Amino acid sequence: MPKDSAGHLIPGRVSSMRSVPSHIVRPEYVGKKGPTPYSGSDVYSSDRIALIRESGLIAAQAIEAVGQAIRPGITTEELDVIGHEFIIAHDAYPSTLGYRGYPKSLCSSVNEVICHGIPDDTALEDGDIVNIDITAFKNGVHGDTNVTFVVGEASEDVTLLVDRTREALNRGIKAVAPGRQVNVIGRAIESYAKRFNYGVVRDYTGHGVGAAFHSGLIIPHYDAPQYNTVMEVGMVFTIEPMLTLGGSADWDMWNDDWTVLTKDRSVTAQFEHTLVVTERGAEILTLP
């Protein structure tokens, strides 16, 4: 299987892109080098938020379906099939498929892969962790979410990293309130992660989502005063902290121009929700 002699991942074989029924509406970027720059607002009406919630529900349920299949011996390619089939069965489009040339319907990031791992013939082993990141596009809007799963039984350090990364997301969400700057989210996440000497990845962030897969709005996961957008009721974005056991935020990228790994090859975990700012805080739009 695709690991080197030190047990670190190496690229596996990637199959061809899966087909999507012709009646399912594609995002505008499919078949192009990249998306058209987004010039709209990150604040949505209640009707549009309801549509984002529907897309988010499909994405979350697709991750649940994939999660039920995760076990030692299954390949990330097989997990991609499950996610793809679930999404198209709900008349939605898997947003990653064809986004800037990305070849698959979900991202599967194993162990030291921070994000954007491409499903291939890598077989999961007992003690691995794998992040499944799915975005669904329906009714003209995207819903984006991810979950890190433990394969079989992992070490205590790795299991705690997964649990605490989930809690870091929860703390980021609790910091959301209208009138606050988005940097309070990163401050809440980083202050929690530092208690355990975890690294907080800085170069990959949360983002505005809805009509655009990535709107241009940046949601930091660390203390970053320069990101000072003020949250408003109806604003929609993701929070998706990536924490590392090695204590570093440094990363490398494979030649596929997608797979991002911790530079020291330490294990890393991530969780993500799409949410909307409400008068009282935040509502998660990607619940199954």
Side-chain angles (χ1 to χ4, degrees), residues 210-268:
F213 193 173
H214 301 90
S215 74
L217 172 65
I218 292 174
I219 307 298
H221 302 127
Y222 62 100
D223 189 1
Q226 67 271 32
Y227 297 115
N228 56 9
T229 302
V230 175
M231 291 181 267
E232 303 175 45
V233 173
M235 184 177 284
V236 177
F237 51 80
T238 73
I239 304 175
E240 46 189 292
M242 293 150 259
L243 307 186
T244 74
L245 264 183
S248 170
D250 295 336
W251 52 272
D252 287 329
M253 185 179 286
W254 279 350
N255 291 335
D256 60 18
D257 290 331
W258 281 108
T259 306
V260 182
L261 309 95
T262 53
K263 197 171 190 69
D264 61 6
R265 299 301 185 264
S266 63
V267 173
T268 176

Side-chain angles (χ1 to χ4, degrees), residues 169-178 180-189 231 239 281-282:
L169 170 60
N170 292 337
R171 290 183 181 229
I173 293 171
K174 287 176 183 175
V176 172
R180 291 180 173 176
Q181 296 180 350
V182 296
N183 55 52
V184 303
I185 298 168
R187 198 171 304 129
I189 290 168
M231 291 181 267
I239 304 175

Side-chain angles (χ1 to χ4, degrees), residues 33-281:
K33 286 187 176 180
T36 301
Y38 182 65
S39 58
S41 174
D42 289 297
V43 178
Y44 290 87
S45 68
S46 58
D47 288 346
R48 292 277 271 173
I49 291 166
L51 296 178
I52 299 170
R53 189 184 294 109
E54 181 180 353
S55 294
L57 172 66
I58 294 169
Q61 291 180 337
I63 287 180
E64 277 198 332
V66 172
Q68 289 171 5
I70 290 174
R71 53 174 171 76
I74 198 167
T75 67
T76 53
E77 162 77 10
E78 291 173 295
L79 299 179
D80 185 70
V81 173
I82 294 168
H84 179 88
E85 294 298 330
F86 187 98
I87 294 166
I88 65 173
H90 289 77
D91 289 329
Y93 186 91
S95 302
T96 57
L97 189 65
Y99 178 76
R100 299 186 184 274
Y102 188 84
K104 291 295 174 183
S105 297
L106 57 79
C107 298
S108 55
S109 301
V110 179
N111 294 346
E112 68 264 28
V113 178
I114 295 170
C115 57
H116 306 156
I118 300 174
D120 59 16
D121 62 348
T122 297
L124 299 177
E125 297 180 351
D126 186 63
D128 285 344
I129 63 171
V130 57
N131 178 273
I132 302 297
D133 192 334
I134 291 180
T135 307
F137 177 79
K138 188 174 183 178
N139 299 315
V141 292
H142 302 267
D144 186 4
T145 183
N146 75 53
V147 173
T148 297
F149 295 93
V150 176
V151 183
E153 290 190 21
S155 69
E156 182 180 15
D157 282 352
V158 170
T159 302
L160 285 172
L161 173 71
V162 172
D163 291 344
R164 289 165 176 167
T165 305
R166 184 189 296 108
E167 175 61 18
L169 170 60
N170 292 337
R171 290 183 181 229
I173 293 171
K174 287 176 183 175
V176 172
R180 291 180 173 176
Q181 296 180 350
V182 296
N183 55 52
V184 303
I185 298 168
R187 198 171 304 129
I189 290 168
E190 186 174 50
S191 64
Y192 176 71
K194 278 185 172 180
R195 287 167 48 183
F196 312 104
N197 296 315
Y198 294 153
V200 181
V201 174
R202 295 184 168 214
D203 294 335
Y204 294 88
T205 67
H207 54 88
V209 67
F213 193 173
H214 301 90
S215 74
L217 172 65
I218 292 174
I219 307 298
H221 302 127
Y222 62 100
D223 189 1
Q226 67 271 32
Y227 297 115
N228 56 9
T229 302
V230 175
M231 291 181 267
E232 303 175 45
V233 173
M235 184 177 284
V236 177
F237 51 80
T238 73
I239 304 175
E240 46 189 292
M242 293 150 259
L243 307 186
T244 74
L245 264 183
S248 170
D250 295 336
W251 52 272
D252 287 329
M253 185 179 286
W254 279 350
N255 291 335
D256 60 18
D257 290 331
W258 281 108
T259 306
V260 182
L261 309 95
T262 53
K263 197 171 190 69
D264 61 6
R265 299 301 185 264
S266 63
V267 173
T268 176
Q270 180 185 18
F271 283 85
E272 173 186 22
H273 275 307
T274 296
L275 54 91
V276 59
V277 180
T278 68
E279 291 181 357
R280 295 185 176 183

